[in-house]
Amino acid sequence: FKELIMKIACIGNMNNMMFTMCRYLRDEGLDVQLLVFKNEPTHFDPSADTYTEGYLDYTTYLPVNFETFYDRDDYGRVFSILKEFDFYIGCDYAPALLHSLGLKLDVFVPHGSDIYDIPFKKKMKNGTDRAWWLKAIKYSGNLQLKGIRNASHIFFPEEYEQQFNFREKLDSKALFHDVTVPMVYVPQYKLFLKNEELIHELEFSSQFLRYRKDSDLMIFSHSRHNGIHLPKELNLHLKGNHVLIQGVAKFIKSNPEQKVKLVLFDYGMNTNDSKELINELGIKNCVEWMPKMSRKEILLGLSLSDIACGEFENSWLTCGVVNESLALGKPLLHYRDDSMYNHLHDSLYFVLNS
């Protein structure tokens, strides 16, 4: 492998996926560079998943993203960067970018909507700027579909095909693999969690440490809160937060002597449903709401917890919250319908199945 491939590009960094992949490949002695799209969300910047600035030595920030593919103003500069590589691995809009440059993506590692939603035609929502929509959604979506069809390999768990039924519509020549790449760079976190100096440098460390000190049972859930009344077409985005909240309330009522702390994160389509339910159940004093934050902060709180929580509405075998919890070796409270996966795998990881 090392002899055949001289230089590898990991393109995009949604969910910190390519930064993790890049570091594992570099650990194997390969020449790998991370290429990040312009205006990547701050919590998906490499700095959000590391405690040093060493990543700057092998990271390039591209001057384009899905909103600017149509303009082609920086294509000469982008092509000069990408042509230096022999092998391309990417997520998010990597297929669209490479196709627009006449290049082929060797391995596509989708994060989700980049394979089951972005490539397909959709109606423009009322109130949307038409010029922006035609460039950022329609044009980039068409490029994405063509790029995926031309990719060589796609790493994506089979369970998502069961939920979204996208393969036939893609009509891709790529070879599908029922796998994904590692979501967490575990060596870094094993070292970090033993380094008190680094821990105290984090913005939210004092809060997490206090929650740990003040509780007998610390329950940690960093899933989004999308409410309980989504339209039918968005049902797969239901997280079942209300199931967790109701369960914790029952436990508190049955075990009044236990000091329980439920840590939640204040982001998603609708956090009000969860907040109202917490008030109705009278457990507000046992709940702590945290703001959206970087992974390096989240994993400190997760590492201090007794129980990690996944999702409780739809059954998922893999997702970011699940992978992060398993990577830190935490007991995982999560809903999983094993009958959906037994034909795909010889065994499944242990879960506290709700």
Side-chain angles (χ1 to χ4, degrees):
F1 190 68
K2 294 180 184 178
E3 290 72 22
L4 292 174
I5 300 169
M6 296 178 66
K7 197 169 184 181
I8 303 170
C10 286
I11 306 168
N13 197 38
M14 186 63 73
N15 296 337
N16 304 111
M17 293 168 66
M18 288 297 103
F19 186 32
T20 298
M21 184 70 174
C22 185
R23 286 179 284 182
Y24 276 118
L25 291 176
R26 289 177 65 86
D27 287 348
E28 294 299 316
L30 297 168
D31 183 1
V32 190
Q33 302 285 315
L34 176 66
L35 308 182
V36 181
F37 285 116
K38 176 183 178 181
N39 295 333
E40 198 83 73
T42 54
H43 55 294
F44 294 144
D45 185 85
S47 62
D49 192 26
T50 184
Y51 303 95
T52 72
E53 294 186 346
Y55 70 94
L56 293 172
D57 295 336
Y58 53 88
T59 299
T60 298
Y61 289 85
L62 299 172
V64 296
N65 66 6
F66 73 100
E67 295 179 308
T68 63
F69 289 159
Y70 182 86
D71 300 326
R72 304 186 71 85
D73 294 338
D74 293 295
Y75 266 50
R77 181 180 165 197
V78 174
F79 183 75
S80 68
I81 294 170
L82 284 164
K83 72 176 183 179
E84 299 299 320
F85 294 92
D86 306 296
F87 196 86
Y88 304 98
I89 306 170
C91 69
D92 207 33
Y93 280 92
L97 175 63
L98 288 175
H99 184 79
S100 69
L101 296 170
L103 300 171
K104 181 175 182 176
L105 185 61
D106 294 288
V107 179
F108 181 35
V109 187
H111 57 75
S113 60
D114 50 353
I115 193 169
Y116 62 68
D117 180 58
I118 290 171
F120 305 117
K121 292 181 180 179
K122 49 188 68 65
K123 292 182 179 180
M124 184 175 66
K125 295 180 180 179
N126 292 335
T128 303
D129 181 273
R130 180 173 175 78
W132 175 86
W133 187 87
L134 288 172
K135 294 179 181 180
I137 305 302
K138 185 174 182 179
Y139 180 76
S140 295
N142 287 339
L143 284 178
Q144 184 80 345
L145 179 59
K146 292 174 181 177
I148 293 173
R149 284 176 171 169
N150 197 40
S152 297
H153 299 271
I154 296 176
F155 290 6
F156 203 46
E158 181 68 27
E159 65 171 308
Y160 288 87
E161 168 64 14
Q162 294 180 170
Q163 299 278 25
F164 293 100
N165 251 340
F166 55 85
R167 278 201 199 176
E168 188 174 338
K169 291 186 290 182
L170 280 177
D171 191 27
S172 176
K173 298 177 182 177
L175 181 61
F176 279 82
H177 304 266
D178 182 22
V179 297
T180 188
V181 298
M183 291 287 288
V184 179
Y185 186 60
V186 175
Q188 166 185 262
Y189 287 103
K190 283 186 175 179
L191 291 173
F192 159 72
L193 295 172
K194 298 176 181 178
N195 190 324
E196 289 190 16
E197 184 178 341
L198 275 180
I199 288 174
H200 287 289
E201 288 179 1
L202 294 180
E203 181 179 358
F204 298 101
S205 63
S206 61
Q207 288 168 260
F208 286 137
L209 290 167
R210 186 173 72 253
Y211 301 157
R212 175 67 281 175
K213 182 180 178 182
D214 294 344
S215 60
D216 299 317
L217 179 65
M218 182 172 167
I219 305 168
F220 197 88
S221 174
H222 57 300
S223 288
R224 287 173 289 155
H225 290 256
N226 291 338
I228 57 176
H229 301 296
L230 291 180
K232 186 177 180 180
E233 64 271 18
L234 294 178
N235 277 352
L236 281 173
H237 296 285
L238 289 169
K239 303 297 181 181
N241 312 96
H242 63 290
V243 176
L244 172 62
I245 292 167
Q246 290 167 341
V248 170
K250 288 181 180 178
F251 180 84
I252 292 171
K253 186 177 180 179
S254 301
N255 301 271
E257 76 287 354
Q258 291 287 317
K259 293 187 290 185
V260 178
K261 189 69 69 177
L262 173 60
V263 181
L264 304 175
F265 284 75
D266 198 357
Y267 82 110
M269 299 180 197
N270 179 355
T271 59
N272 287 332
D273 282 355
S274 294
K275 291 176 180 178
E276 290 173 4
L277 180 59
I278 287 166
N279 288 335
E280 290 172 11
L281 295 172
I283 61 169
K284 187 176 180 179
N285 291 338
C286 298
V287 178
E288 300 291 348
W289 285 96
M290 301 298 291
K292 183 188 292 186
M293 63 183 68
S294 63
R295 173 182 276 173
K296 64 185 177 185
E297 299 266 3
I298 290 172
L299 292 200
L300 170 61
L302 181 60
S303 71
L304 294 170
S305 68
D306 297 298
I307 297 176
C309 301
E311 300 185 21
F312 303 94
E313 184 73 29
N314 298 296
S315 177
W316 297 105
L317 186 62
T318 60
C319 63
V321 169
V322 166
N323 293 341
E324 287 167 346
S325 302
L326 294 177
L328 291 193
K330 288 295 171 179
L332 177 64
L333 183 65
H334 179 65
Y335 168 59
R336 188 179 71 197
D337 179 359
D338 290 357
S339 66
M340 294 174 61
Y341 317 112
N342 286 331
H343 67 289
L344 299 173
H345 305 282
D346 294 333
S347 63
L348 302 174
Y349 58 81
F350 175 76
V351 66
L352 300 169
N353 206 332
S354 66

